Amino acid sequence: MKKILVLFTTLLATTIANAVPNFWNLQIAQGSYIYKISDTKNSSLEISCYLGSEIPRYQELKVTHKSKTIQNTNKNTPLSFVIDDKQSFQPLLKSGTYGDSREWNEFLTKLPKAKKIEVYRDNQFLFTVKPRNRGGEDISTVDGCYIN
C-alpha cells in the first residue's frame, strides 16, 4: 500500500509540475537533459541534448502546437524565435557551418534570462511563452547543449 501511495504522489507531483505554464521544467534521465516550457494553451518549446562524457552528443529542438510537433532539421528550418522583442533566431542543428553553430549557441545563451519568447513557423506567429522562473527551475545548464 505504501508503494502505491508513493507512486501516486510522485505521479501527481510530476503532473502538476508539468501543467504550470510559463515555467521552465528540467528533466534529467540517463545523460539526457530536457528543457521544456509551455504556454497557457499547452503549446510548448522543448530543447533536449544528450551529454555523453560531458560532450554534447546530440541536440534537439522541437515545438508542439495544437498537438503537432515541429522541428528544425539540417535542411528544413520552419521555426524561428524572437527573444525579448530584441533578437531573432532561426537555430539550425548540426549543419556543420560555423555560422549555424554560433547562432545555436547564442540562442541557448539568451534563453535562461529571457522574459519573453515568441515562436514562429514559416514566419507565422504560433505562440508566446513568458518564463517566470525566479526561484524556480534553473536552466542555466542549457549551455551544456552547445555545438562545438
Side-chain angles (χ1 to χ4, degrees):
M1 183 65 178
K2 283 185 180 182
K3 289 180 182 180
I4 292 172
L5 184 58
V6 170
L7 178 61
F8 177 75
T9 305
T10 304
L11 289 174
L12 181 62
T14 302
T15 302
I16 291 170
N18 289 334
V20 179
N22 294 311
F23 278 84
W24 281 105
N25 182 17
L26 170 61
Q27 299 173 355
I28 303 171
Q30 298 180 351
S32 292
Y33 289 66
I34 302 168
Y35 304 87
K36 185 174 183 178
I37 190 166
S38 61
D39 70 356
T40 55
K41 296 179 183 175
N42 215 24
S43 293
S44 65
L45 164 62
E46 182 177 303
I47 297 166
S48 57
C49 63
Y50 175 75
L51 299 175
S53 304
E54 300 299 317
I55 300 170
R57 301 287 183 204
Y58 81 84
Q59 298 84 9
E60 183 178 58
L61 169 67
K62 68 180 175 182
V63 165
T64 303
H65 181 65
K66 295 184 179 178
S67 301
K68 294 182 182 177
T69 300
I70 310 155
Q71 292 182 281
N72 280 3
T73 62
N74 287 353
K75 303 292 180 194
N76 187 17
T77 57
L79 296 172
S80 55
F81 305 87
V82 175
I83 296 179
D84 295 331
D85 295 322
K86 294 179 185 174
Q87 200 165 5
S88 66
F89 296 93
Q90 193 171 9
L92 181 63
L93 303 176
K94 296 184 181 180
S95 69
T97 69
Y98 172 76
D100 292 332
S101 296
R102 191 182 80 231
E103 182 159 359
W104 171 255
N105 294 345
E106 190 173 348
F107 174 67
L108 293 181
T109 301
K110 301 289 182 185
L111 282 180
K113 294 181 181 176
K115 291 181 174 74
K116 179 180 173 186
I117 304 166
E118 295 174 1
V119 181
Y120 294 83
R121 177 184 187 177
D122 296 323
N123 296 321
Q124 299 294 316
F125 176 78
L126 295 180
F127 64 94
T128 299
V129 289
K130 295 180 179 179
R132 301 182 299 167
N133 273 46
R134 292 176 207 98
E137 192 73 61
D138 178 10
I139 68 153
S140 62
T141 56
V142 74
D143 64 7
C145 294
Y146 282 176
I147 297 174
N148 295 327

